[in-house]
Amino acid sequence: MLFATIIMAVTMVALNGCSKDEDSGKIKETGTIYVENLTSDPYNVNINNGESVFNLQSGYYRTLSDCQVGYYKIVVKQLSGYILYPTEKTYTGTLTKGGTLTVSIR
């Protein structure tokens, strides 16, 4: 009984291994998003309404790899250094397979 269970487990692993090998040859439909802060103030960056949210200090950049291809809406909002109200900007673009979508906060 134990021997039959072991043979069945090995067979299942072997069968699953074949399908994974076939999938590993596919090219991923991803690209890179690059966000750089060229201002003297920190900004909050919000990609696709909360899909990715982070703060970016002055003079810094962030690279997001393996992002799904498609349309992106990136909203940035100044965190400090403003007098009356923070600067808020919206950037949009389409990320292509193997491409880079670059946002430069100015």
Side-chain angles (χ1 to χ4, degrees):
M1 180 73 174
L2 180 59
F3 182 74
T5 304
I6 292 172
I7 294 295
M8 185 162 31
V10 169
T11 303
M12 293 300 290
V13 169
L15 289 176
N16 286 336
C18 291
S19 65
K20 287 182 182 176
D21 289 341
E22 291 171 8
D23 290 340
S24 66
K26 292 183 181 176
I27 297 173
K28 291 183 180 180
E29 301 259 341
T30 61
T32 302
I33 297 176
Y34 177 81
V35 183
E36 61 183 348
N37 183 354
L38 302 175
T39 72
S40 58
D41 301 306
Y43 276 78
N44 175 268
V45 180
N46 186 329
I47 300 174
N48 282 353
N49 294 319
E51 187 176 299
S52 181
V53 179
F54 55 90
N55 292 337
L56 197 57
Q57 297 302 317
S58 170
Y60 282 79
Y61 65 89
R62 182 132 183 214
T63 303
L64 302 159
S65 302
D66 294 326
C67 300
Q68 293 297 316
V69 299
Y71 177 80
Y72 281 86
K73 179 180 175 183
I74 301 169
V75 178
V76 300
K77 184 175 182 179
Q78 188 177 0
L79 295 174
S80 66
Y82 54 89
I83 296 174
L84 296 176
Y85 55 90
T87 299
E88 193 167 340
K89 297 179 181 180
T90 301
Y91 301 90
T92 59
T94 301
L95 182 62
T96 58
K97 181 171 65 171
T100 300
L101 179 60
T102 300
V103 172
S104 298
I105 305 168
R106 298 179 189 268

